[in-house]
Amino acid sequence: DSGVTQTPKHLITATGQRVTLRCSPRSGDLSVYWYQQSLDQGLQFLIQYYNGEERAKGNILERFSAQQFPDLHSELNLSSLELGDSALYFCASSGRGVSYNEQFFGPGTRLTVL
Amino acid sequence: GQQLNQSPQSMFIQEGEDVSMNCTSSSIFNTWLWYKQDPGEGPVLLIALYKAGELTSNGRLTAQFGITRKDSFLNISASIPSDVGIYFCAGQLPSGTYKYIFGTGTRLKVLA
């Protein structure tokens, strides 16, 4: 158990809909990262937050947005969903002590868009 | 999007054999991380490397940060069936970006 939690574990929705994925980082970690992993693909970095502020952006679509709240949990919002958005979405956290660079991943949310 | 070149893509080995895989890039990285992912699960951090030339072990796993800072290697000695999974490398771009680029993965299958 990495200490990172993600909800929900599975999500099935229709095209055009909007969903929100939630992530709670490990206790004490200030950074949260979001990744997308399509079937049998590698991990694509979407966005990073550090202590409530956006720190780095990757290949995140304009239809996607994220935020990190004062209690450090983060939400990833996906709107106008398309079939191609079906994927595993992972959250990772880092930021504790000398190993601040090491990212610890949650169990993921599997999104299926029908 | 950007990805590291990771090889081999997949490998079948016999239990007890040693395994080697590597990641290469045209870019310089500050940090290398190696992860193992089981189907439907989140990646689990195996080893972190912070300096060029660094060699770090974690049990039967040994990883090295290439001298050029453009590559990294992971070796698994005396493989066992539970080593099955997908291994990913991740490189952190030079300071100021906080971005990690992930490799394409090496799918390992161990034959008992």
mmCIF file of all heavy atoms in Angstrom, chain A residues 2-7 21-26 29 31-37 43-47 49 67-68 72-76 88-94 103-109, chain B residues 35 41-43 102:
data_model
loop_
_atom_site.group_PDB
_atom_site.id
_atom_site.type_symbol
_atom_site.label_atom_id
_atom_site.label_comp_id
_atom_site.label_asym_id
_atom_site.label_seq_id
_atom_site.Cartn_x
_atom_site.Cartn_y
_atom_site.Cartn_z
ATOM 1 N N SER A 2 0.725 2.066 -1.044
ATOM 2 C CA SER A 2 1.591 3.237 -1.195
ATOM 3 C C SER A 2 1.202 4.377 -0.270
ATOM 4 O O SER A 2 1.991 5.293 -0.037
ATOM 5 C CB SER A 2 1.539 3.737 -2.641
ATOM 6 O OG SER A 2 0.228 4.232 -2.940
ATOM 7 N N GLY A 3 -0.036 4.353 0.231
ATOM 8 C CA GLY A 3 -0.524 5.455 1.050
ATOM 9 C C GLY A 3 -1.289 6.485 0.244
ATOM 10 O O GLY A 3 -1.875 7.407 0.809
ATOM 11 N N VAL A 4 -1.299 6.340 -1.080
ATOM 12 C CA VAL A 4 -2.057 7.233 -1.954
ATOM 13 C C VAL A 4 -3.398 6.559 -2.248
ATOM 14 O O VAL A 4 -3.427 5.393 -2.635
ATOM 15 C CB VAL A 4 -1.308 7.488 -3.273
ATOM 16 C CG1 VAL A 4 -2.131 8.376 -4.197
ATOM 17 C CG2 VAL A 4 0.061 8.090 -2.996
ATOM 18 N N THR A 5 -4.480 7.293 -2.059
ATOM 19 C CA THR A 5 -5.796 6.724 -2.332
ATOM 20 C C THR A 5 -6.467 7.450 -3.488
ATOM 21 O O THR A 5 -6.265 8.666 -3.671
ATOM 22 C CB THR A 5 -6.702 6.785 -1.083
ATOM 23 O OG1 THR A 5 -6.872 8.154 -0.706
ATOM 24 C CG2 THR A 5 -6.091 6.018 0.069
ATOM 25 N N GLN A 6 -7.219 6.675 -4.251
ATOM 26 C CA GLN A 6 -7.938 7.233 -5.392
ATOM 27 C C GLN A 6 -9.359 6.689 -5.399
ATOM 28 O O GLN A 6 -9.572 5.506 -5.126
ATOM 29 C CB GLN A 6 -7.275 6.851 -6.717
ATOM 30 C CG GLN A 6 -5.978 7.566 -6.990
ATOM 31 C CD GLN A 6 -5.448 7.262 -8.378
ATOM 32 O OE1 GLN A 6 -4.435 6.586 -8.534
ATOM 33 N NE2 GLN A 6 -6.124 7.777 -9.390
ATOM 34 N N THR A 7 -10.296 7.560 -5.709
ATOM 35 C CA THR A 7 -11.687 7.122 -5.859
ATOM 36 C C THR A 7 -12.305 7.806 -7.064
ATOM 37 O O THR A 7 -11.900 8.937 -7.426
ATOM 38 C CB THR A 7 -12.520 7.485 -4.606
ATOM 39 O OG1 THR A 7 -12.433 8.898 -4.373
ATOM 40 C CG2 THR A 7 -12.065 6.719 -3.387
ATOM 41 N N LEU A 21 -12.397 12.736 -10.810
ATOM 42 C CA LEU A 21 -11.605 11.716 -10.152
ATOM 43 C C LEU A 21 -10.916 12.364 -8.954
ATOM 44 O O LEU A 21 -10.441 13.494 -9.041
ATOM 45 C CB LEU A 21 -10.545 11.150 -11.108
ATOM 46 C CG LEU A 21 -11.019 10.759 -12.510
ATOM 47 C CD1 LEU A 21 -9.874 10.145 -13.302
ATOM 48 C CD2 LEU A 21 -12.182 9.823 -12.449
ATOM 49 N N ARG A 22 -10.850 11.613 -7.870
ATOM 50 C CA ARG A 22 -10.312 12.182 -6.641
ATOM 51 C C ARG A 22 -9.068 11.429 -6.178
ATOM 52 O O ARG A 22 -8.979 10.211 -6.345
ATOM 53 C CB ARG A 22 -11.378 12.123 -5.552
ATOM 54 C CG ARG A 22 -10.962 12.744 -4.232
ATOM 55 C CD ARG A 22 -11.991 12.476 -3.153
ATOM 56 N NE ARG A 22 -11.472 12.831 -1.838
ATOM 57 C CZ ARG A 22 -11.778 13.938 -1.196
ATOM 58 N NH1 ARG A 22 -12.635 14.799 -1.716
ATOM 59 N NH2 ARG A 22 -11.260 14.186 -0.009
ATOM 60 N N CYS A 23 -8.150 12.191 -5.597
ATOM 61 C CA CYS A 23 -6.889 11.606 -5.118
ATOM 62 C C CYS A 23 -6.515 12.219 -3.772
ATOM 63 O O CYS A 23 -6.564 13.446 -3.605
ATOM 64 C CB CYS A 23 -5.781 11.881 -6.134
ATOM 65 S SG CYS A 23 -4.102 11.558 -5.533
ATOM 66 N N SER A 24 -6.115 11.366 -2.840
ATOM 67 C CA SER A 24 -5.556 11.841 -1.571
ATOM 68 C C SER A 24 -4.117 11.397 -1.501
ATOM 69 O O SER A 24 -3.830 10.191 -1.567
ATOM 70 C CB SER A 24 -6.350 11.276 -0.389
ATOM 71 O OG SER A 24 -7.640 11.825 -0.346
ATOM 72 N N PRO A 25 -3.176 12.332 -1.370
ATOM 73 C CA PRO A 25 -1.762 11.963 -1.350
ATOM 74 C C PRO A 25 -1.365 11.303 -0.035
ATOM 75 O O PRO A 25 -2.147 11.270 0.919
ATOM 76 C CB PRO A 25 -1.059 13.313 -1.508
ATOM 77 C CG PRO A 25 -2.007 14.291 -0.895
ATOM 78 C CD PRO A 25 -3.382 13.770 -1.215
ATOM 79 N N ARG A 26 -0.129 10.774 0.007
ATOM 80 C CA ARG A 26 0.407 10.245 1.247
ATOM 81 C C ARG A 26 0.485 11.378 2.272
ATOM 82 O O ARG A 26 0.693 12.547 1.914
ATOM 83 C CB ARG A 26 1.819 9.709 1.031
ATOM 84 C CG ARG A 26 1.944 8.494 0.173
ATOM 85 C CD ARG A 26 3.384 7.969 0.178
ATOM 86 N NE ARG A 26 4.379 9.010 0.026
ATOM 87 C CZ ARG A 26 5.652 8.875 0.355
ATOM 88 N NH1 ARG A 26 6.088 7.730 0.867
ATOM 89 N NH2 ARG A 26 6.501 9.863 0.171
ATOM 90 N N ASP A 29 2.883 14.553 2.037
ATOM 91 C CA ASP A 29 3.334 14.873 0.680
ATOM 92 C C ASP A 29 2.614 16.121 0.167
ATOM 93 O O ASP A 29 1.396 16.249 0.306
ATOM 94 C CB ASP A 29 3.068 13.711 -0.271
ATOM 95 C CG ASP A 29 4.082 12.598 -0.111
ATOM 96 O OD1 ASP A 29 5.007 12.756 0.726
ATOM 97 O OD2 ASP A 29 3.961 11.574 -0.808
ATOM 98 N N SER A 31 3.191 17.355 -3.162
ATOM 99 C CA SER A 31 3.026 17.296 -4.618
ATOM 100 C C SER A 31 2.072 16.189 -5.020
ATOM 101 O O SER A 31 2.124 15.080 -4.495
ATOM 102 C CB SER A 31 4.368 17.027 -5.296
ATOM 103 O OG SER A 31 5.121 18.192 -5.400
ATOM 104 N N VAL A 32 1.235 16.502 -6.001
ATOM 105 C CA VAL A 32 0.343 15.509 -6.597
ATOM 106 C C VAL A 32 0.522 15.563 -8.107
ATOM 107 O O VAL A 32 0.584 16.654 -8.690
ATOM 108 C CB VAL A 32 -1.130 15.791 -6.235
ATOM 109 C CG1 VAL A 32 -2.058 14.947 -7.085
ATOM 110 C CG2 VAL A 32 -1.376 15.530 -4.757
ATOM 111 N N TYR A 33 0.631 14.404 -8.714
ATOM 112 C CA TYR A 33 0.782 14.287 -10.167
ATOM 113 C C TYR A 33 -0.386 13.453 -10.696
ATOM 114 O O TYR A 33 -0.816 12.502 -10.050
ATOM 115 C CB TYR A 33 2.072 13.536 -10.518
ATOM 116 C CG TYR A 33 3.340 14.088 -9.908
ATOM 117 C CD1 TYR A 33 3.650 13.843 -8.574
ATOM 118 C CD2 TYR A 33 4.245 14.820 -10.665
ATOM 119 C CE1 TYR A 33 4.813 14.327 -8.007
ATOM 120 C CE2 TYR A 33 5.419 15.299 -10.104
ATOM 121 C CZ TYR A 33 5.684 15.053 -8.765
ATOM 122 O OH TYR A 33 6.841 15.537 -8.211
ATOM 123 N N TRP A 34 -0.838 13.781 -11.897
ATOM 124 C CA TRP A 34 -1.845 12.980 -12.575
ATOM 125 C C TRP A 34 -1.268 12.410 -13.868
ATOM 126 O O TRP A 34 -0.589 13.129 -14.615
ATOM 127 C CB TRP A 34 -3.080 13.814 -12.902
ATOM 128 C CG TRP A 34 -3.939 14.118 -11.712
ATOM 129 C CD1 TRP A 34 -3.936 15.260 -10.963
ATOM 130 C CD2 TRP A 34 -4.936 13.261 -11.127
ATOM 131 N NE1 TRP A 34 -4.865 15.164 -9.950
ATOM 132 C CE2 TRP A 34 -5.495 13.955 -10.032
ATOM 133 C CE3 TRP A 34 -5.411 11.983 -11.431
ATOM 134 C CZ2 TRP A 34 -6.504 13.404 -9.238
ATOM 135 C CZ3 TRP A 34 -6.409 11.450 -10.640
ATOM 136 C CH2 TRP A 34 -6.953 12.165 -9.560
ATOM 137 N N TYR A 35 -1.577 11.140 -14.109
ATOM 138 C CA TYR A 35 -1.114 10.445 -15.311
ATOM 139 C C TYR A 35 -2.286 9.725 -15.971
ATOM 140 O O TYR A 35 -3.225 9.295 -15.296
ATOM 141 C CB TYR A 35 -0.048 9.401 -14.968
ATOM 142 C CG TYR A 35 1.263 9.956 -14.494
ATOM 143 C CD1 TYR A 35 1.492 10.240 -13.155
ATOM 144 C CD2 TYR A 35 2.304 10.188 -15.397
ATOM 145 C CE1 TYR A 35 2.700 10.753 -12.725
ATOM 146 C CE2 TYR A 35 3.524 10.690 -14.967
ATOM 147 C CZ TYR A 35 3.703 10.972 -13.634
ATOM 148 O OH TYR A 35 4.914 11.475 -13.210
ATOM 149 N N GLN A 36 -2.169 9.568 -17.269
ATOM 150 C CA GLN A 36 -3.131 8.777 -18.036
ATOM 151 C C GLN A 36 -2.397 7.590 -18.636
ATOM 152 O O GLN A 36 -1.291 7.743 -19.178
ATOM 153 C CB GLN A 36 -3.741 9.627 -19.159
ATOM 154 C CG GLN A 36 -4.764 8.889 -20.016
ATOM 155 C CD GLN A 36 -5.100 9.671 -21.269
ATOM 156 O OE1 GLN A 36 -4.226 10.014 -22.051
ATOM 157 N NE2 GLN A 36 -6.375 9.973 -21.458
ATOM 158 N N GLN A 37 -2.997 6.418 -18.524
ATOM 159 C CA GLN A 37 -2.402 5.217 -19.137
ATOM 160 C C GLN A 37 -3.474 4.531 -19.958
ATOM 161 O O GLN A 37 -4.420 3.957 -19.435
ATOM 162 C CB GLN A 37 -1.864 4.268 -18.071
ATOM 163 C CG GLN A 37 -1.104 3.079 -18.655
ATOM 164 C CD GLN A 37 -0.524 2.175 -17.586
ATOM 165 O OE1 GLN A 37 -1.148 1.930 -16.566
ATOM 166 N NE2 GLN A 37 0.694 1.676 -17.824
ATOM 167 N N LEU A 43 2.849 5.567 -19.335
ATOM 168 C CA LEU A 43 2.178 6.600 -18.552
ATOM 169 C C LEU A 43 2.429 7.967 -19.163
ATOM 170 O O LEU A 43 3.577 8.354 -19.377
ATOM 171 C CB LEU A 43 2.696 6.567 -17.121
ATOM 172 C CG LEU A 43 2.241 5.343 -16.343
ATOM 173 C CD1 LEU A 43 3.319 4.862 -15.390
ATOM 174 C CD2 LEU A 43 0.974 5.659 -15.572
ATOM 175 N N GLN A 44 1.344 8.682 -19.422
ATOM 176 C CA GLN A 44 1.453 10.032 -19.960
ATOM 177 C C GLN A 44 1.192 11.034 -18.847
ATOM 178 O O GLN A 44 0.117 11.031 -18.242
ATOM 179 C CB GLN A 44 0.440 10.231 -21.099
ATOM 180 C CG GLN A 44 0.683 9.373 -22.314
ATOM 181 C CD GLN A 44 1.952 9.755 -23.046
ATOM 182 O OE1 GLN A 44 2.348 10.912 -23.105
ATOM 183 N NE2 GLN A 44 2.616 8.757 -23.624
ATOM 184 N N PHE A 45 2.164 11.885 -18.607
ATOM 185 C CA PHE A 45 2.044 12.898 -17.564
ATOM 186 C C PHE A 45 1.025 13.956 -17.975
ATOM 187 O O PHE A 45 1.064 14.483 -19.080
ATOM 188 C CB PHE A 45 3.421 13.541 -17.334
ATOM 189 C CG PHE A 45 3.404 14.757 -16.465
ATOM 190 C CD1 PHE A 45 3.136 14.662 -15.114
ATOM 191 C CD2 PHE A 45 3.670 16.010 -17.005
ATOM 192 C CE1 PHE A 45 3.137 15.792 -14.315
ATOM 193 C CE2 PHE A 45 3.668 17.147 -16.220
ATOM 194 C CZ PHE A 45 3.394 17.039 -14.878
ATOM 195 N N LEU A 46 0.102 14.249 -17.092
ATOM 196 C CA LEU A 46 -0.913 15.256 -17.381
ATOM 197 C C LEU A 46 -0.605 16.579 -16.697
ATOM 198 O O LEU A 46 -0.495 17.622 -17.337
ATOM 199 C CB LEU A 46 -2.290 14.766 -16.930
ATOM 200 C CG LEU A 46 -2.835 13.531 -17.647
ATOM 201 C CD1 LEU A 46 -4.176 13.118 -17.048
ATOM 202 C CD2 LEU A 46 -2.950 13.753 -19.140
ATOM 203 N N ILE A 47 -0.470 16.550 -15.358
ATOM 204 C CA ILE A 47 -0.307 17.801 -14.630
ATOM 205 C C ILE A 47 0.208 17.519 -13.225
ATOM 206 O O ILE A 47 0.029 16.422 -12.702
ATOM 207 C CB ILE A 47 -1.656 18.564 -14.576
ATOM 208 C CG1 ILE A 47 -1.451 20.040 -14.224
ATOM 209 C CG2 ILE A 47 -2.647 17.874 -13.648
ATOM 210 C CD1 ILE A 47 -2.672 20.900 -14.544
ATOM 211 N N TYR A 49 0.617 19.389 -9.237
ATOM 212 C CA TYR A 49 0.334 20.462 -8.282
ATOM 213 C C TYR A 49 1.269 20.331 -7.098
ATOM 214 O O TYR A 49 1.631 19.215 -6.701
ATOM 215 C CB TYR A 49 -1.121 20.403 -7.797
ATOM 216 C CG TYR A 49 -2.061 21.030 -8.787
ATOM 217 C CD1 TYR A 49 -2.523 20.321 -9.885
ATOM 218 C CD2 TYR A 49 -2.466 22.346 -8.642
ATOM 219 C CE1 TYR A 49 -3.364 20.904 -10.809
ATOM 220 C CE2 TYR A 49 -3.314 22.944 -9.551
ATOM 221 C CZ TYR A 49 -3.753 22.212 -10.640
ATOM 222 O OH TYR A 49 -4.585 22.803 -11.552
ATOM 223 N N GLN A 67 -7.272 20.449 -9.851
ATOM 224 C CA GLN A 67 -6.969 21.385 -8.788
ATOM 225 C C GLN A 67 -6.531 20.617 -7.553
ATOM 226 O O GLN A 67 -6.837 19.426 -7.406
ATOM 227 C CB GLN A 67 -8.164 22.282 -8.472
ATOM 228 C CG GLN A 67 -9.450 21.576 -8.169
ATOM 229 C CD GLN A 67 -10.584 22.566 -7.953
ATOM 230 O OE1 GLN A 67 -10.401 23.653 -7.430
ATOM 231 N NE2 GLN A 67 -11.793 22.196 -8.344
ATOM 232 N N GLN A 68 -5.812 21.323 -6.681
ATOM 233 C CA GLN A 68 -5.404 20.755 -5.406
ATOM 234 C C GLN A 68 -5.956 21.655 -4.310
ATOM 235 O O GLN A 68 -5.779 22.869 -4.350
ATOM 236 C CB GLN A 68 -3.879 20.655 -5.295
ATOM 237 C CG GLN A 68 -3.418 19.930 -4.040
ATOM 238 C CD GLN A 68 -1.913 19.804 -3.942
ATOM 239 O OE1 GLN A 68 -1.166 20.623 -4.475
ATOM 240 N NE2 GLN A 68 -1.436 18.780 -3.249
ATOM 241 N N LEU A 72 -4.809 19.302 0.595
ATOM 242 C CA LEU A 72 -3.859 18.673 -0.327
ATOM 243 C C LEU A 72 -4.448 17.567 -1.194
ATOM 244 O O LEU A 72 -3.733 17.064 -2.071
ATOM 245 C CB LEU A 72 -2.614 18.149 0.415
ATOM 246 C CG LEU A 72 -1.838 19.226 1.164
ATOM 247 C CD1 LEU A 72 -0.681 18.603 1.927
ATOM 248 C CD2 LEU A 72 -1.323 20.293 0.202
ATOM 249 N N HIS A 73 -5.714 17.221 -0.998
ATOM 250 C CA HIS A 73 -6.273 16.262 -1.941
ATOM 251 C C HIS A 73 -6.460 16.958 -3.284
ATOM 252 O O HIS A 73 -6.503 18.195 -3.366
ATOM 253 C CB HIS A 73 -7.569 15.638 -1.416
ATOM 254 C CG HIS A 73 -8.827 16.363 -1.789
ATOM 255 N ND1 HIS A 73 -9.363 17.374 -1.019
ATOM 256 C CD2 HIS A 73 -9.652 16.200 -2.855
ATOM 257 C CE1 HIS A 73 -10.460 17.818 -1.596
ATOM 258 N NE2 HIS A 73 -10.676 17.134 -2.712
ATOM 259 N N SER A 74 -6.540 16.153 -4.336
ATOM 260 C CA SER A 74 -6.633 16.721 -5.675
ATOM 261 C C SER A 74 -7.787 16.079 -6.439
ATOM 262 O O SER A 74 -8.186 14.948 -6.152
ATOM 263 C CB SER A 74 -5.319 16.486 -6.427
ATOM 264 O OG SER A 74 -5.387 16.971 -7.741
ATOM 265 N N GLU A 75 -8.316 16.825 -7.370
ATOM 266 C CA GLU A 75 -9.366 16.307 -8.241
ATOM 267 C C GLU A 75 -8.991 16.570 -9.692
ATOM 268 O O GLU A 75 -8.451 17.632 -10.022
ATOM 269 C CB GLU A 75 -10.713 16.961 -7.914
ATOM 270 C CG GLU A 75 -11.261 16.560 -6.569
ATOM 271 C CD GLU A 75 -12.600 17.189 -6.241
ATOM 272 O OE1 GLU A 75 -13.086 18.018 -7.034
ATOM 273 O OE2 GLU A 75 -13.152 16.846 -5.178
ATOM 274 N N LEU A 76 -9.280 15.586 -10.530
ATOM 275 C CA LEU A 76 -9.085 15.714 -11.968
ATOM 276 C C LEU A 76 -10.464 15.683 -12.607
ATOM 277 O O LEU A 76 -11.219 14.728 -12.417
ATOM 278 C CB LEU A 76 -8.219 14.564 -12.493
ATOM 279 C CG LEU A 76 -7.947 14.528 -13.998
ATOM 280 C CD1 LEU A 76 -7.070 15.717 -14.413
ATOM 281 C CD2 LEU A 76 -7.281 13.225 -14.400
ATOM 282 N N LEU A 88 -6.777 4.185 -17.804
ATOM 283 C CA LEU A 88 -6.506 4.205 -16.362
ATOM 284 C C LEU A 88 -5.925 5.572 -16.038
ATOM 285 O O LEU A 88 -5.026 6.049 -16.740
ATOM 286 C CB LEU A 88 -5.486 3.127 -15.999
ATOM 287 C CG LEU A 88 -6.005 1.739 -15.652
ATOM 288 C CD1 LEU A 88 -4.867 0.739 -15.651
ATOM 289 C CD2 LEU A 88 -6.706 1.741 -14.315
ATOM 290 N N TYR A 89 -6.436 6.181 -14.990
ATOM 291 C CA TYR A 89 -5.911 7.474 -14.544
ATOM 292 C C TYR A 89 -5.282 7.275 -13.168
ATOM 293 O O TYR A 89 -5.924 6.813 -12.226
ATOM 294 C CB TYR A 89 -7.020 8.522 -14.497
ATOM 295 C CG TYR A 89 -7.491 8.892 -15.884
ATOM 296 C CD1 TYR A 89 -8.445 8.128 -16.538
ATOM 297 C CD2 TYR A 89 -6.944 9.983 -16.545
ATOM 298 C CE1 TYR A 89 -8.849 8.438 -17.823
ATOM 299 C CE2 TYR A 89 -7.348 10.309 -17.830
ATOM 300 C CZ TYR A 89 -8.301 9.536 -18.468
ATOM 301 O OH TYR A 89 -8.688 9.844 -19.751
ATOM 302 N N PHE A 90 -4.002 7.610 -13.111
ATOM 303 C CA PHE A 90 -3.258 7.440 -11.863
ATOM 304 C C PHE A 90 -2.904 8.785 -11.268
ATOM 305 O O PHE A 90 -2.594 9.749 -11.974
ATOM 306 C CB PHE A 90 -1.961 6.667 -12.103
ATOM 307 C CG PHE A 90 -2.165 5.214 -12.394
ATOM 308 C CD1 PHE A 90 -2.019 4.727 -13.685
ATOM 309 C CD2 PHE A 90 -2.476 4.322 -11.372
ATOM 310 C CE1 PHE A 90 -2.201 3.376 -13.959
ATOM 311 C CE2 PHE A 90 -2.658 2.975 -11.642
ATOM 312 C CZ PHE A 90 -2.524 2.507 -12.938
ATOM 313 N N CYS A 91 -2.918 8.791 -9.967
ATOM 314 C CA CYS A 91 -2.429 9.906 -9.192
ATOM 315 C C CYS A 91 -1.183 9.420 -8.471
ATOM 316 O O CYS A 91 -1.092 8.255 -8.070
ATOM 317 C CB CYS A 91 -3.514 10.318 -8.199
ATOM 318 S SG CYS A 91 -2.979 11.301 -6.831
ATOM 319 N N ALA A 92 -0.200 10.295 -8.352
ATOM 320 C CA ALA A 92 0.999 9.981 -7.582
ATOM 321 C C ALA A 92 1.305 11.163 -6.677
ATOM 322 O O ALA A 92 0.916 12.298 -6.977
ATOM 323 C CB ALA A 92 2.183 9.699 -8.507
ATOM 324 N N SER A 93 1.993 10.890 -5.573
ATOM 325 C CA SER A 93 2.391 11.997 -4.706
ATOM 326 C C SER A 93 3.855 11.867 -4.346
ATOM 327 O O SER A 93 4.448 10.783 -4.432
ATOM 328 C CB SER A 93 1.527 12.067 -3.445
ATOM 329 O OG SER A 93 1.862 11.062 -2.506
ATOM 330 N N SER A 94 4.445 12.974 -3.996
ATOM 331 C CA SER A 94 5.839 12.989 -3.563
ATOM 332 C C SER A 94 6.042 14.179 -2.654
ATOM 333 O O SER A 94 5.171 15.046 -2.530
ATOM 334 C CB SER A 94 6.790 13.086 -4.761
ATOM 335 O OG SER A 94 6.732 14.378 -5.331
ATOM 336 N N GLN A 103 8.108 9.410 -6.643
ATOM 337 C CA GLN A 103 6.654 9.458 -6.770
ATOM 338 C C GLN A 103 6.057 8.116 -6.372
ATOM 339 O O GLN A 103 6.510 7.064 -6.817
ATOM 340 C CB GLN A 103 6.257 9.774 -8.202
ATOM 341 C CG GLN A 103 6.689 11.155 -8.637
ATOM 342 C CD GLN A 103 6.207 11.492 -10.022
ATOM 343 O OE1 GLN A 103 5.157 11.025 -10.457
ATOM 344 N NE2 GLN A 103 6.952 12.308 -10.719
ATOM 345 N N PHE A 104 4.998 8.175 -5.555
ATOM 346 C CA PHE A 104 4.302 6.974 -5.116
ATOM 347 C C PHE A 104 2.890 7.007 -5.696
ATOM 348 O O PHE A 104 2.175 7.994 -5.535
ATOM 349 C CB PHE A 104 4.281 6.913 -3.591
ATOM 350 C CG PHE A 104 5.651 6.709 -3.011
ATOM 351 C CD1 PHE A 104 6.483 7.790 -2.785
ATOM 352 C CD2 PHE A 104 6.123 5.438 -2.743
ATOM 353 C CE1 PHE A 104 7.769 7.613 -2.298
ATOM 354 C CE2 PHE A 104 7.407 5.251 -2.247
ATOM 355 C CZ PHE A 104 8.228 6.328 -2.026
ATOM 356 N N PHE A 105 2.533 5.938 -6.364
ATOM 357 C CA PHE A 105 1.293 5.894 -7.135
ATOM 358 C C PHE A 105 0.127 5.307 -6.352
ATOM 359 O O PHE A 105 0.298 4.377 -5.557
ATOM 360 C CB PHE A 105 1.490 5.064 -8.407
ATOM 361 C CG PHE A 105 2.212 5.804 -9.490
ATOM 362 C CD1 PHE A 105 3.583 5.954 -9.448
ATOM 363 C CD2 PHE A 105 1.515 6.366 -10.553
ATOM 364 C CE1 PHE A 105 4.262 6.653 -10.447
ATOM 365 C CE2 PHE A 105 2.177 7.058 -11.550
ATOM 366 C CZ PHE A 105 3.546 7.207 -11.500
ATOM 367 N N GLY A 106 -1.058 5.824 -6.645
ATOM 368 C CA GLY A 106 -2.282 5.242 -6.143
ATOM 369 C C GLY A 106 -2.704 4.060 -6.998
ATOM 370 O O GLY A 106 -2.043 3.742 -8.000
ATOM 371 N N PRO A 107 -3.800 3.402 -6.633
ATOM 372 C CA PRO A 107 -4.252 2.212 -7.358
ATOM 373 C C PRO A 107 -4.926 2.518 -8.689
ATOM 374 O O PRO A 107 -5.170 1.612 -9.479
ATOM 375 C CB PRO A 107 -5.248 1.580 -6.389
ATOM 376 C CG PRO A 107 -5.748 2.715 -5.572
ATOM 377 C CD PRO A 107 -4.612 3.673 -5.446
ATOM 378 N N GLY A 108 -5.231 3.783 -8.937
ATOM 379 C CA GLY A 108 -5.797 4.167 -10.225
ATOM 380 C C GLY A 108 -7.316 4.170 -10.263
ATOM 381 O O GLY A 108 -7.977 3.545 -9.438
ATOM 382 N N THR A 109 -7.837 4.903 -11.228
ATOM 383 C CA THR A 109 -9.265 4.891 -11.558
ATOM 384 C C THR A 109 -9.388 4.442 -13.004
ATOM 385 O O THR A 109 -8.774 5.052 -13.893
ATOM 386 C CB THR A 109 -9.907 6.282 -11.405
ATOM 387 O OG1 THR A 109 -9.919 6.653 -10.035
ATOM 388 C CG2 THR A 109 -11.339 6.278 -11.940
ATOM 389 N N TYR B 35 10.068 1.464 -11.886
ATOM 390 C CA TYR B 35 8.809 1.002 -11.327
ATOM 391 C C TYR B 35 8.453 -0.370 -11.877
ATOM 392 O O TYR B 35 8.826 -0.729 -12.983
ATOM 393 C CB TYR B 35 7.661 1.948 -11.697
ATOM 394 C CG TYR B 35 7.681 3.281 -11.012
ATOM 395 C CD1 TYR B 35 8.368 4.354 -11.558
ATOM 396 C CD2 TYR B 35 6.993 3.477 -9.815
ATOM 397 C CE1 TYR B 35 8.373 5.593 -10.922
ATOM 398 C CE2 TYR B 35 6.987 4.715 -9.176
ATOM 399 C CZ TYR B 35 7.687 5.760 -9.753
ATOM 400 O OH TYR B 35 7.686 6.987 -9.131
ATOM 401 N N GLU B 41 -3.017 -2.496 -11.631
ATOM 402 C CA GLU B 41 -2.550 -1.878 -10.389
ATOM 403 C C GLU B 41 -1.712 -0.641 -10.704
ATOM 404 O O GLU B 41 -1.310 -0.409 -11.847
ATOM 405 C CB GLU B 41 -1.685 -2.866 -9.597
ATOM 406 C CG GLU B 41 -2.369 -4.178 -9.286
ATOM 407 C CD GLU B 41 -3.454 -4.034 -8.242
ATOM 408 O OE1 GLU B 41 -3.307 -3.184 -7.352
ATOM 409 O OE2 GLU B 41 -4.463 -4.766 -8.333
ATOM 410 N N GLY B 42 -1.444 0.147 -9.660
ATOM 411 C CA GLY B 42 -0.567 1.290 -9.831
ATOM 412 C C GLY B 42 0.895 0.859 -9.816
ATOM 413 O O GLY B 42 1.242 -0.148 -9.203
ATOM 414 N N PRO B 43 1.768 1.607 -10.500
ATOM 415 C CA PRO B 43 3.199 1.288 -10.472
ATOM 416 C C PRO B 43 3.755 1.376 -9.052
ATOM 417 O O PRO B 43 3.365 2.250 -8.281
ATOM 418 C CB PRO B 43 3.810 2.376 -11.369
ATOM 419 C CG PRO B 43 2.684 2.843 -12.230
ATOM 420 C CD PRO B 43 1.470 2.737 -11.372
ATOM 421 N N PHE B 102 8.056 8.875 -18.839
ATOM 422 C CA PHE B 102 8.068 7.442 -18.601
ATOM 423 C C PHE B 102 8.470 6.675 -19.845
ATOM 424 O O PHE B 102 8.146 7.069 -20.971
ATOM 425 C CB PHE B 102 6.693 6.982 -18.127
ATOM 426 C CG PHE B 102 6.499 7.153 -16.651
ATOM 427 C CD1 PHE B 102 6.279 8.407 -16.115
ATOM 428 C CD2 PHE B 102 6.571 6.063 -15.799
ATOM 429 C CE1 PHE B 102 6.121 8.580 -14.752
ATOM 430 C CE2 PHE B 102 6.415 6.222 -14.437
ATOM 431 C CZ PHE B 102 6.191 7.483 -13.911
#
